[in-house]
Short mmCIF file of all heavy atoms in Angstrom, two decimals:
data_model
loop_
_atom_site.label_atom_id
_atom_site.label_comp_id
_atom_site.label_asym_id
_atom_site.label_seq_id
_atom_site.Cartn_x
_atom_site.Cartn_y
_atom_site.Cartn_z
N MET A 1 -24.13 47.62 -54.11
CA MET A 1 -22.81 47.12 -54.31
C MET A 1 -21.84 47.70 -53.27
O MET A 1 -21.02 46.98 -52.72
CB MET A 1 -22.37 47.45 -55.75
CG MET A 1 -21.03 46.96 -56.10
SD MET A 1 -21.09 45.18 -56.29
CE MET A 1 -19.68 44.91 -57.25
N LYS A 2 -21.97 49.00 -53.05
CA LYS A 2 -21.08 49.65 -52.09
C LYS A 2 -21.24 49.04 -50.70
O LYS A 2 -20.25 48.77 -50.02
CB LYS A 2 -21.35 51.15 -52.05
CG LYS A 2 -20.45 51.89 -51.07
CD LYS A 2 -20.75 53.37 -51.05
CE LYS A 2 -19.90 54.06 -50.02
NZ LYS A 2 -20.20 55.49 -49.93
N ASN A 3 -22.47 48.80 -50.28
CA ASN A 3 -22.72 48.22 -48.96
C ASN A 3 -22.12 46.82 -48.84
O ASN A 3 -21.60 46.45 -47.79
CB ASN A 3 -24.22 48.18 -48.66
CG ASN A 3 -24.78 49.55 -48.37
OD1 ASN A 3 -24.05 50.46 -48.00
ND2 ASN A 3 -26.07 49.71 -48.54
N ALA A 4 -22.20 46.05 -49.91
CA ALA A 4 -21.63 44.70 -49.90
C ALA A 4 -20.12 44.76 -49.73
O ALA A 4 -19.54 43.98 -48.96
CB ALA A 4 -21.99 43.96 -51.19
N LEU A 5 -19.46 45.69 -50.42
CA LEU A 5 -18.00 45.82 -50.31
C LEU A 5 -17.59 46.33 -48.93
O LEU A 5 -16.58 45.87 -48.38
CB LEU A 5 -17.47 46.74 -51.41
CG LEU A 5 -17.58 46.18 -52.83
CD1 LEU A 5 -17.15 47.23 -53.84
CD2 LEU A 5 -16.75 44.91 -52.98
N VAL A 6 -18.35 47.26 -48.39
CA VAL A 6 -18.05 47.77 -47.04
C VAL A 6 -18.21 46.64 -46.02
O VAL A 6 -17.37 46.46 -45.13
CB VAL A 6 -18.95 48.98 -46.71
CG1 VAL A 6 -18.85 49.34 -45.23
CG2 VAL A 6 -18.57 50.18 -47.57
N SER A 7 -19.28 45.86 -46.16
CA SER A 7 -19.50 44.74 -45.24
C SER A 7 -18.39 43.70 -45.35
O SER A 7 -17.90 43.19 -44.34
CB SER A 7 -20.85 44.08 -45.52
OG SER A 7 -21.89 44.97 -45.23
N LEU A 8 -17.99 43.38 -46.59
CA LEU A 8 -16.89 42.43 -46.80
C LEU A 8 -15.61 42.95 -46.15
O LEU A 8 -14.91 42.21 -45.47
CB LEU A 8 -16.66 42.19 -48.29
CG LEU A 8 -15.47 41.31 -48.64
CD1 LEU A 8 -15.65 39.90 -48.08
CD2 LEU A 8 -15.25 41.27 -50.14
N SER A 9 -15.33 44.23 -46.33
CA SER A 9 -14.14 44.83 -45.73
C SER A 9 -14.17 44.71 -44.20
O SER A 9 -13.16 44.35 -43.57
CB SER A 9 -14.05 46.30 -46.13
OG SER A 9 -13.02 46.95 -45.44
N ASN A 10 -15.31 44.95 -43.60
CA ASN A 10 -15.44 44.86 -42.15
C ASN A 10 -15.23 43.43 -41.66
O ASN A 10 -14.54 43.19 -40.66
CB ASN A 10 -16.81 45.37 -41.69
CG ASN A 10 -16.95 46.87 -41.89
OD1 ASN A 10 -15.97 47.60 -41.97
ND2 ASN A 10 -18.18 47.32 -41.99
N VAL A 11 -15.82 42.46 -42.36
CA VAL A 11 -15.68 41.06 -41.98
C VAL A 11 -14.22 40.61 -42.12
O VAL A 11 -13.68 39.94 -41.23
CB VAL A 11 -16.62 40.16 -42.83
CG1 VAL A 11 -16.29 38.69 -42.64
CG2 VAL A 11 -18.06 40.45 -42.48
N VAL A 12 -13.57 41.00 -43.22
CA VAL A 12 -12.17 40.63 -43.44
C VAL A 12 -11.28 41.23 -42.35
O VAL A 12 -10.44 40.55 -41.77
CB VAL A 12 -11.70 41.06 -44.85
CG1 VAL A 12 -10.19 40.95 -44.99
CG2 VAL A 12 -12.39 40.22 -45.91
N CYS A 13 -11.46 42.51 -42.06
CA CYS A 13 -10.65 43.16 -41.02
C CYS A 13 -10.82 42.49 -39.66
O CYS A 13 -9.84 42.24 -38.96
CB CYS A 13 -11.00 44.64 -40.93
SG CYS A 13 -10.39 45.62 -42.30
N GLU A 14 -12.06 42.18 -39.32
CA GLU A 14 -12.32 41.54 -38.03
C GLU A 14 -11.68 40.15 -37.96
O GLU A 14 -11.05 39.80 -36.96
CB GLU A 14 -13.82 41.43 -37.79
CG GLU A 14 -14.17 40.88 -36.43
CD GLU A 14 -15.67 40.85 -36.19
OE1 GLU A 14 -16.38 41.72 -36.71
OE2 GLU A 14 -16.10 39.95 -35.46
N ALA A 15 -11.82 39.39 -39.02
CA ALA A 15 -11.24 38.04 -39.05
C ALA A 15 -9.72 38.10 -38.93
O ALA A 15 -9.11 37.33 -38.17
CB ALA A 15 -11.64 37.31 -40.33
N LEU A 16 -9.08 39.01 -39.66
CA LEU A 16 -7.62 39.13 -39.60
C LEU A 16 -7.16 39.57 -38.21
O LEU A 16 -6.16 39.08 -37.70
CB LEU A 16 -7.11 40.09 -40.68
CG LEU A 16 -7.27 39.61 -42.12
CD1 LEU A 16 -6.86 40.71 -43.10
CD2 LEU A 16 -6.49 38.34 -42.37
N GLN A 17 -7.91 40.48 -37.58
CA GLN A 17 -7.56 40.92 -36.23
C GLN A 17 -7.68 39.79 -35.22
O GLN A 17 -6.96 39.78 -34.21
CB GLN A 17 -8.44 42.10 -35.81
CG GLN A 17 -8.11 43.37 -36.53
CD GLN A 17 -9.10 44.49 -36.23
OE1 GLN A 17 -10.17 44.27 -35.68
NE2 GLN A 17 -8.73 45.71 -36.63
N LEU A 18 -8.55 38.82 -35.49
CA LEU A 18 -8.70 37.67 -34.60
C LEU A 18 -7.69 36.56 -34.91
O LEU A 18 -7.73 35.50 -34.30
CB LEU A 18 -10.12 37.11 -34.70
CG LEU A 18 -11.22 38.02 -34.15
CD1 LEU A 18 -12.60 37.47 -34.49
CD2 LEU A 18 -11.06 38.21 -32.65
N GLY A 19 -6.82 36.81 -35.89
CA GLY A 19 -5.79 35.83 -36.23
C GLY A 19 -6.22 34.77 -37.22
O GLY A 19 -5.52 33.79 -37.42
N MET A 20 -7.37 34.95 -37.83
CA MET A 20 -7.87 33.98 -38.81
C MET A 20 -7.37 34.35 -40.20
O MET A 20 -7.02 35.50 -40.46
CB MET A 20 -9.39 33.98 -38.82
CG MET A 20 -10.04 33.52 -37.55
SD MET A 20 -11.81 33.34 -37.82
CE MET A 20 -12.43 34.63 -36.78
N SER A 21 -7.37 33.36 -41.09
CA SER A 21 -7.13 33.66 -42.50
C SER A 21 -8.50 33.75 -43.16
O SER A 21 -9.49 33.22 -42.65
CB SER A 21 -6.27 32.59 -43.15
OG SER A 21 -6.92 31.35 -43.15
N VAL A 22 -8.56 34.44 -44.29
CA VAL A 22 -9.81 34.64 -45.01
C VAL A 22 -9.71 33.97 -46.37
O VAL A 22 -8.84 34.33 -47.17
CB VAL A 22 -10.12 36.14 -45.17
CG1 VAL A 22 -11.40 36.35 -45.96
CG2 VAL A 22 -10.20 36.82 -43.81
N ASP A 23 -10.57 32.99 -46.61
CA ASP A 23 -10.57 32.27 -47.88
C ASP A 23 -11.53 32.97 -48.84
O ASP A 23 -12.71 33.14 -48.53
CB ASP A 23 -11.01 30.82 -47.65
CG ASP A 23 -10.90 29.97 -48.90
OD1 ASP A 23 -10.34 30.44 -49.90
OD2 ASP A 23 -11.37 28.83 -48.87
N LEU A 24 -11.02 33.37 -49.99
CA LEU A 24 -11.83 34.06 -51.00
C LEU A 24 -12.14 33.14 -52.17
O LEU A 24 -12.06 33.53 -53.33
CB LEU A 24 -11.11 35.33 -51.47
CG LEU A 24 -10.79 36.35 -50.39
CD1 LEU A 24 -9.89 37.45 -50.94
CD2 LEU A 24 -12.06 36.94 -49.81
N ALA A 25 -12.46 31.89 -51.86
CA ALA A 25 -12.83 30.86 -52.85
C ALA A 25 -11.75 30.71 -53.91
O ALA A 25 -10.58 30.54 -53.55
CB ALA A 25 -14.19 31.16 -53.45
N GLU A 26 -12.11 30.79 -55.18
CA GLU A 26 -11.14 30.55 -56.27
C GLU A 26 -10.11 31.65 -56.40
O GLU A 26 -9.09 31.47 -57.07
CB GLU A 26 -11.88 30.42 -57.61
CG GLU A 26 -12.87 29.30 -57.71
CD GLU A 26 -14.25 29.73 -57.23
OE1 GLU A 26 -14.59 30.93 -57.31
OE2 GLU A 26 -15.00 28.86 -56.75
N ILE A 27 -10.36 32.80 -55.79
CA ILE A 27 -9.45 33.94 -55.93
C ILE A 27 -8.16 33.72 -55.14
O ILE A 27 -7.07 33.93 -55.65
CB ILE A 27 -10.13 35.24 -55.47
CG1 ILE A 27 -11.35 35.52 -56.35
CG2 ILE A 27 -9.16 36.40 -55.51
CD1 ILE A 27 -12.22 36.64 -55.84
N GLY A 28 -8.27 33.30 -53.90
CA GLY A 28 -7.10 33.10 -53.05
C GLY A 28 -7.45 33.29 -51.59
O GLY A 28 -8.61 33.17 -51.20
N SER A 29 -6.46 33.62 -50.78
CA SER A 29 -6.71 33.82 -49.36
C SER A 29 -5.86 34.96 -48.81
O SER A 29 -4.82 35.31 -49.37
CB SER A 29 -6.43 32.54 -48.58
OG SER A 29 -5.08 32.18 -48.72
N LEU A 30 -6.33 35.52 -47.71
CA LEU A 30 -5.63 36.59 -47.00
C LEU A 30 -5.27 36.10 -45.61
O LEU A 30 -6.05 35.38 -44.98
CB LEU A 30 -6.53 37.82 -46.87
CG LEU A 30 -6.97 38.50 -48.15
CD1 LEU A 30 -8.09 39.49 -47.85
CD2 LEU A 30 -5.81 39.21 -48.80
N ARG A 31 -4.10 36.50 -45.13
CA ARG A 31 -3.72 36.19 -43.75
C ARG A 31 -2.81 37.30 -43.25
O ARG A 31 -2.16 38.00 -44.02
CB ARG A 31 -3.03 34.84 -43.65
CG ARG A 31 -1.73 34.73 -44.40
CD ARG A 31 -1.19 33.29 -44.38
NE ARG A 31 -0.14 33.14 -45.33
CZ ARG A 31 1.14 33.45 -45.14
NH1 ARG A 31 1.51 33.94 -43.98
NH2 ARG A 31 2.04 33.27 -46.08
N LEU A 32 -2.79 37.46 -41.95
CA LEU A 32 -1.97 38.47 -41.32
C LEU A 32 -0.67 37.84 -40.84
O LEU A 32 -0.70 36.77 -40.23
CB LEU A 32 -2.72 39.08 -40.13
CG LEU A 32 -2.07 40.27 -39.44
CD1 LEU A 32 -2.06 41.47 -40.38
CD2 LEU A 32 -2.82 40.61 -38.17
N THR A 33 0.44 38.48 -41.13
CA THR A 33 1.73 38.00 -40.62
C THR A 33 2.42 39.14 -39.87
O THR A 33 2.22 40.31 -40.18
CB THR A 33 2.67 37.51 -41.74
OG1 THR A 33 3.00 38.61 -42.60
CG2 THR A 33 2.03 36.41 -42.56
N VAL A 34 3.20 38.76 -38.89
CA VAL A 34 4.00 39.73 -38.14
C VAL A 34 5.45 39.27 -38.24
O VAL A 34 5.85 38.34 -37.54
CB VAL A 34 3.57 39.83 -36.66
CG1 VAL A 34 4.40 40.89 -35.95
CG2 VAL A 34 2.09 40.15 -36.56
N PRO A 35 6.21 39.89 -39.16
CA PRO A 35 7.61 39.50 -39.29
C PRO A 35 8.36 39.74 -37.97
O PRO A 35 8.03 40.65 -37.21
CB PRO A 35 8.14 40.43 -40.38
CG PRO A 35 6.93 40.93 -41.09
CD PRO A 35 5.84 40.94 -40.08
N SER A 36 9.32 38.90 -37.71
CA SER A 36 10.12 39.06 -36.50
C SER A 36 11.60 38.91 -36.83
O SER A 36 11.96 38.52 -37.92
CB SER A 36 9.72 38.01 -35.45
OG SER A 36 9.94 36.73 -35.97
N GLU A 37 12.41 39.25 -35.86
CA GLU A 37 13.86 39.18 -36.05
C GLU A 37 14.45 38.26 -34.98
O GLU A 37 14.06 38.33 -33.82
CB GLU A 37 14.46 40.58 -35.92
CG GLU A 37 15.92 40.66 -36.26
CD GLU A 37 16.42 42.09 -36.29
OE1 GLU A 37 15.71 42.94 -36.87
OE2 GLU A 37 17.49 42.35 -35.72
N MET A 38 15.34 37.41 -35.38
CA MET A 38 15.98 36.49 -34.43
C MET A 38 16.98 37.24 -33.55
O MET A 38 17.68 38.12 -34.02
CB MET A 38 16.72 35.38 -35.18
CG MET A 38 15.81 34.47 -35.97
SD MET A 38 14.84 33.40 -34.93
CE MET A 38 16.08 32.33 -34.28
N MET A 39 17.04 36.87 -32.29
CA MET A 39 18.00 37.43 -31.35
C MET A 39 18.83 36.29 -30.79
O MET A 39 18.36 35.15 -30.69
CB MET A 39 17.27 38.15 -30.20
CG MET A 39 16.44 39.31 -30.65
SD MET A 39 17.52 40.65 -31.18
CE MET A 39 16.33 41.82 -31.76
N ASP A 40 20.06 36.60 -30.42
CA ASP A 40 20.97 35.57 -29.93
C ASP A 40 20.70 35.19 -28.47
O ASP A 40 20.86 34.03 -28.09
CB ASP A 40 22.42 36.03 -30.07
CG ASP A 40 22.84 36.13 -31.53
OD1 ASP A 40 22.34 35.32 -32.35
OD2 ASP A 40 23.66 37.00 -31.86
N THR A 41 20.29 36.17 -27.67
CA THR A 41 20.06 35.88 -26.25
C THR A 41 18.70 36.44 -25.83
O THR A 41 18.16 37.35 -26.45
CB THR A 41 21.15 36.51 -25.37
OG1 THR A 41 21.05 37.94 -25.48
CG2 THR A 41 22.55 36.05 -25.76
N ALA A 42 18.18 35.91 -24.72
CA ALA A 42 16.90 36.37 -24.21
C ALA A 42 16.96 37.83 -23.76
O ALA A 42 15.98 38.56 -23.83
CB ALA A 42 16.46 35.48 -23.05
N GLU A 43 18.13 38.27 -23.32
CA GLU A 43 18.28 39.64 -22.84
C GLU A 43 18.09 40.66 -23.96
O GLU A 43 17.73 41.81 -23.73
CB GLU A 43 19.67 39.84 -22.19
CG GLU A 43 19.86 39.11 -20.88
CD GLU A 43 20.09 37.61 -21.06
OE1 GLU A 43 20.62 37.19 -22.11
OE2 GLU A 43 19.72 36.86 -20.15
N GLU A 44 18.36 40.25 -25.20
CA GLU A 44 18.23 41.17 -26.34
C GLU A 44 16.78 41.35 -26.79
O GLU A 44 16.47 42.27 -27.52
CB GLU A 44 19.01 40.63 -27.54
CG GLU A 44 20.51 40.58 -27.37
CD GLU A 44 21.17 39.99 -28.59
OE1 GLU A 44 21.48 40.78 -29.51
OE2 GLU A 44 21.35 38.77 -28.62
N VAL A 45 15.91 40.48 -26.33
CA VAL A 45 14.54 40.46 -26.84
C VAL A 45 13.69 41.56 -26.20
O VAL A 45 13.53 41.61 -24.99
CB VAL A 45 13.88 39.09 -26.59
CG1 VAL A 45 12.42 39.10 -27.05
CG2 VAL A 45 14.66 38.00 -27.29
N THR A 46 13.17 42.45 -27.05
CA THR A 46 12.18 43.44 -26.66
C THR A 46 11.15 43.50 -27.78
O THR A 46 11.47 43.23 -28.94
CB THR A 46 12.78 44.84 -26.45
OG1 THR A 46 13.28 45.32 -27.70
CG2 THR A 46 13.88 44.84 -25.41
N VAL A 47 9.93 43.85 -27.46
CA VAL A 47 8.89 43.92 -28.47
C VAL A 47 9.27 44.94 -29.54
O VAL A 47 9.09 44.71 -30.73
CB VAL A 47 7.53 44.28 -27.84
CG1 VAL A 47 6.47 44.55 -28.90
CG2 VAL A 47 7.08 43.18 -26.90
N LYS A 48 9.81 46.05 -29.12
CA LYS A 48 10.18 47.13 -30.05
C LYS A 48 11.20 46.64 -31.08
O LYS A 48 11.11 46.98 -32.26
CB LYS A 48 10.74 48.31 -29.27
CG LYS A 48 11.21 49.44 -30.13
CD LYS A 48 11.82 50.53 -29.27
CE LYS A 48 12.62 51.45 -30.15
NZ LYS A 48 13.96 51.65 -29.73
N ASP A 49 12.17 45.86 -30.65
CA ASP A 49 13.25 45.44 -31.54
C ASP A 49 12.93 44.16 -32.32
O ASP A 49 13.50 43.93 -33.38
CB ASP A 49 14.54 45.23 -30.74
CG ASP A 49 15.05 46.53 -30.15
OD1 ASP A 49 14.80 47.59 -30.75
OD2 ASP A 49 15.68 46.47 -29.08
N VAL A 50 12.07 43.32 -31.81
CA VAL A 50 11.84 42.01 -32.42
C VAL A 50 10.67 42.02 -33.41
O VAL A 50 10.79 41.54 -34.52
CB VAL A 50 11.62 40.94 -31.34
CG1 VAL A 50 11.29 39.61 -31.97
CG2 VAL A 50 12.87 40.81 -30.48
N LEU A 51 9.52 42.55 -33.00
CA LEU A 51 8.34 42.51 -33.85
C LEU A 51 8.31 43.69 -34.81
O LEU A 51 8.52 44.82 -34.42
CB LEU A 51 7.07 42.50 -33.01
CG LEU A 51 6.88 41.29 -32.11
CD1 LEU A 51 5.61 41.43 -31.30
CD2 LEU A 51 6.86 40.01 -32.92
N LYS A 52 8.04 43.39 -36.06
CA LYS A 52 7.97 44.42 -37.09
C LYS A 52 6.51 44.78 -37.37
O LYS A 52 5.59 44.26 -36.74
CB LYS A 52 8.65 43.91 -38.37
CG LYS A 52 10.08 43.44 -38.17
CD LYS A 52 10.95 44.55 -37.67
CE LYS A 52 12.37 44.04 -37.43
NZ LYS A 52 13.17 44.95 -36.67
N THR A 53 6.27 45.64 -38.33
CA THR A 53 4.92 46.05 -38.71
C THR A 53 4.16 44.88 -39.30
O THR A 53 4.65 44.21 -40.21
CB THR A 53 5.00 47.19 -39.74
OG1 THR A 53 5.76 48.26 -39.18
CG2 THR A 53 3.62 47.69 -40.11
N PRO A 54 2.94 44.61 -38.82
CA PRO A 54 2.14 43.52 -39.39
C PRO A 54 1.84 43.76 -40.87
O PRO A 54 1.71 44.90 -41.31
CB PRO A 54 0.84 43.56 -38.58
CG PRO A 54 1.18 44.32 -37.34
CD PRO A 54 2.25 45.27 -37.72
N LYS A 55 1.75 42.68 -41.61
CA LYS A 55 1.47 42.76 -43.05
C LYS A 55 0.35 41.79 -43.41
O LYS A 55 0.23 40.73 -42.81
CB LYS A 55 2.72 42.40 -43.85
CG LYS A 55 3.88 43.34 -43.59
CD LYS A 55 5.03 43.07 -44.52
CE LYS A 55 6.25 43.90 -44.24
NZ LYS A 55 6.11 45.22 -43.78
N ILE A 56 -0.46 42.18 -44.39
CA ILE A 56 -1.49 41.29 -44.91
C ILE A 56 -0.92 40.63 -46.16
O ILE A 56 -0.47 41.31 -47.08
CB ILE A 56 -2.78 42.06 -45.25
CG1 ILE A 56 -3.36 42.68 -43.97
CG2 ILE A 56 -3.79 41.14 -45.92
CD1 ILE A 56 -4.54 43.59 -44.21
N VAL A 57 -0.93 39.30 -46.16
CA VAL A 57 -0.37 38.53 -47.27
C VAL A 57 -1.52 37.91 -48.07
O VAL A 57 -2.42 37.29 -47.49
CB VAL A 57 0.55 37.40 -46.74
CG1 VAL A 57 1.06 36.54 -47.88
CG2 VAL A 57 1.71 38.00 -45.97
N PHE A 58 -1.49 38.12 -49.38
CA PHE A 58 -2.47 37.51 -50.27
C PHE A 58 -1.81 36.35 -51.01
O PHE A 58 -0.74 36.51 -51.59
CB PHE A 58 -3.00 38.52 -51.29
CG PHE A 58 -3.89 37.90 -52.33
CD1 PHE A 58 -5.18 37.51 -52.01
CD2 PHE A 58 -3.44 37.68 -53.61
CE1 PHE A 58 -6.00 36.92 -52.96
CE2 PHE A 58 -4.25 37.11 -54.57
CZ PHE A 58 -5.53 36.73 -54.24
N THR A 59 -2.44 35.18 -50.97
CA THR A 59 -1.94 34.01 -51.68
C THR A 59 -2.98 33.63 -52.74
O THR A 59 -4.12 33.28 -52.41
CB THR A 59 -1.73 32.83 -50.72
OG1 THR A 59 -0.85 33.24 -49.68
CG2 THR A 59 -1.13 31.63 -51.45
N SER A 60 -2.57 33.72 -53.99
CA SER A 60 -3.48 33.43 -55.09
C SER A 60 -3.65 31.93 -55.27
O SER A 60 -2.71 31.16 -55.08
CB SER A 60 -2.91 34.04 -56.38
OG SER A 60 -3.68 33.67 -57.48
N LYS A 61 -4.85 31.50 -55.63
CA LYS A 61 -5.10 30.09 -55.93
C LYS A 61 -4.99 29.83 -57.42
O LYS A 61 -4.95 28.69 -57.84
CB LYS A 61 -6.48 29.67 -55.44
CG LYS A 61 -6.55 29.61 -53.93
CD LYS A 61 -7.86 29.03 -53.48
CE LYS A 61 -7.91 29.02 -51.96
NZ LYS A 61 -9.22 28.59 -51.48
N GLN A 62 -4.96 30.86 -58.21
CA GLN A 62 -4.86 30.72 -59.66
C GLN A 62 -3.40 30.71 -60.07
O GLN A 62 -2.61 31.52 -59.60
CB GLN A 62 -5.58 31.87 -60.37
CG GLN A 62 -7.05 31.96 -60.08
CD GLN A 62 -7.83 30.81 -60.71
OE1 GLN A 62 -7.45 30.30 -61.74
NE2 GLN A 62 -8.90 30.42 -60.07
N ILE A 63 -3.07 29.81 -60.94
CA ILE A 63 -1.73 29.79 -61.52
C ILE A 63 -1.87 30.25 -62.96
O ILE A 63 -2.64 29.68 -63.74
CB ILE A 63 -1.10 28.39 -61.45
CG1 ILE A 63 -0.99 27.94 -60.01
CG2 ILE A 63 0.25 28.38 -62.15
CD1 ILE A 63 -0.48 26.53 -59.84
N TYR A 64 -1.19 31.30 -63.28
CA TYR A 64 -1.29 31.86 -64.61
C TYR A 64 -0.03 31.52 -65.40
O TYR A 64 1.09 31.63 -64.90
CB TYR A 64 -1.46 33.38 -64.55
CG TYR A 64 -2.73 33.79 -63.87
CD1 TYR A 64 -2.74 34.17 -62.54
CD2 TYR A 64 -3.93 33.77 -64.56
CE1 TYR A 64 -3.93 34.54 -61.91
CE2 TYR A 64 -5.11 34.14 -63.95
CZ TYR A 64 -5.10 34.52 -62.63
OH TYR A 64 -6.26 34.87 -62.01
N PHE A 65 -0.22 31.09 -66.63
CA PHE A 65 0.89 30.81 -67.52
C PHE A 65 0.80 31.72 -68.72
O PHE A 65 -0.29 31.92 -69.28
CB PHE A 65 0.85 29.34 -68.01
CG PHE A 65 1.08 28.35 -66.91
CD1 PHE A 65 0.03 27.72 -66.27
CD2 PHE A 65 2.38 28.05 -66.51
CE1 PHE A 65 0.24 26.80 -65.27
CE2 PHE A 65 2.60 27.14 -65.50
CZ PHE A 65 1.54 26.51 -64.88
N ILE A 66 1.91 32.25 -69.12
CA ILE A 66 1.96 33.06 -70.33
C ILE A 66 2.82 32.28 -71.33
O ILE A 66 3.96 31.92 -71.04
CB ILE A 66 2.58 34.44 -70.07
CG1 ILE A 66 1.72 35.19 -69.06
CG2 ILE A 66 2.75 35.20 -71.37
CD1 ILE A 66 2.29 36.52 -68.63
N THR A 67 2.25 32.00 -72.47
CA THR A 67 3.01 31.30 -73.50
C THR A 67 3.07 32.16 -74.74
O THR A 67 2.19 32.97 -75.02
CB THR A 67 2.34 29.95 -73.87
OG1 THR A 67 1.03 30.21 -74.35
CG2 THR A 67 2.26 29.03 -72.65
N THR A 68 4.15 32.01 -75.45
CA THR A 68 4.31 32.72 -76.72
C THR A 68 4.62 31.74 -77.81
O THR A 68 5.20 30.68 -77.58
CB THR A 68 5.45 33.76 -76.63
OG1 THR A 68 6.65 33.08 -76.30
CG2 THR A 68 5.16 34.82 -75.58
N THR A 69 4.22 32.11 -79.00
CA THR A 69 4.49 31.26 -80.17
C THR A 69 5.15 32.12 -81.22
O THR A 69 4.66 33.21 -81.54
CB THR A 69 3.18 30.67 -80.73
OG1 THR A 69 2.53 29.95 -79.69
CG2 THR A 69 3.46 29.75 -81.90
N VAL A 70 6.26 31.65 -81.73
CA VAL A 70 6.96 32.36 -82.79
C VAL A 70 6.61 31.67 -84.12
O VAL A 70 6.81 30.48 -84.28
CB VAL A 70 8.49 32.34 -82.58
CG1 VAL A 70 9.20 33.04 -83.72
CG2 VAL A 70 8.84 32.97 -81.24
N VAL A 71 6.07 32.46 -85.03
CA VAL A 71 5.71 31.95 -86.35
C VAL A 71 6.64 32.55 -87.37
O VAL A 71 6.70 33.77 -87.50
CB VAL A 71 4.23 32.25 -86.67
CG1 VAL A 71 3.86 31.73 -88.05
CG2 VAL A 71 3.32 31.69 -85.61
N ASP A 72 7.32 31.70 -88.10
CA ASP A 72 8.29 32.12 -89.13
C ASP A 72 9.31 33.04 -88.52
O ASP A 72 9.77 33.99 -88.88
CB ASP A 72 7.60 32.71 -90.35
CG ASP A 72 6.82 31.63 -91.08
OD1 ASP A 72 7.28 30.49 -91.14
OD2 ASP A 72 5.74 31.98 -91.59
#
C-alpha cells in the first residue's frame, strides 16, 4: 500500500510540474495554478511582483447535500 501511495504521489507531482491536471476519477481533479497580479503598465511588470506562490487546487466531482428534518 505504501509503495502505491508513493508512486501515485510521484506521478501526480510530475504531471503538475508539466502543467497537466490530474483526474482522480469520481473523487475530483488536481491542477496547479499560479496567481498573478494585474499591473497598469508594462514597466511595472516584474516576475517578483507579479507572480505569486503556486498553489495546487482540488476540484471535487461529488456534490454533497445535507438535509435536516424537523419532527414535531
Side-chain angles (χ1 to χ4, degrees):
M1 182 72 159
K2 180 180 176 182
N3 287 338
L5 292 174
V6 169
S7 294
L8 175 63
S9 172
N10 292 338
V11 169
V12 168
C13 287
E14 185 177 328
L16 292 174
Q17 288 173 347
L18 292 172
M20 295 188 247
S21 63
V22 178
D23 186 9
L24 301 171
E26 299 88 27
I27 298 170
S29 62
L30 297 167
R31 63 187 167 84
L32 187 68
T33 64
V34 182
S36 61
E37 187 173 316
M38 295 288 292
M39 298 290 176
D40 292 328
T41 65
E43 291 76 28
E44 294 178 88
V45 177
T46 65
V47 172
K48 177 183 164 233
D49 295 330
V50 176
L51 297 178
K52 305 299 178 193
T53 303
K55 299 187 184 325
I56 297 173
V57 176
F58 173 74
T59 305
S60 174
K61 289 187 182 174
Q62 299 290 330
I63 299 176
Y64 297 98
F65 293 98
I66 299 175
T67 60
T68 59
T69 304
V70 178
V71 179
D72 292 323

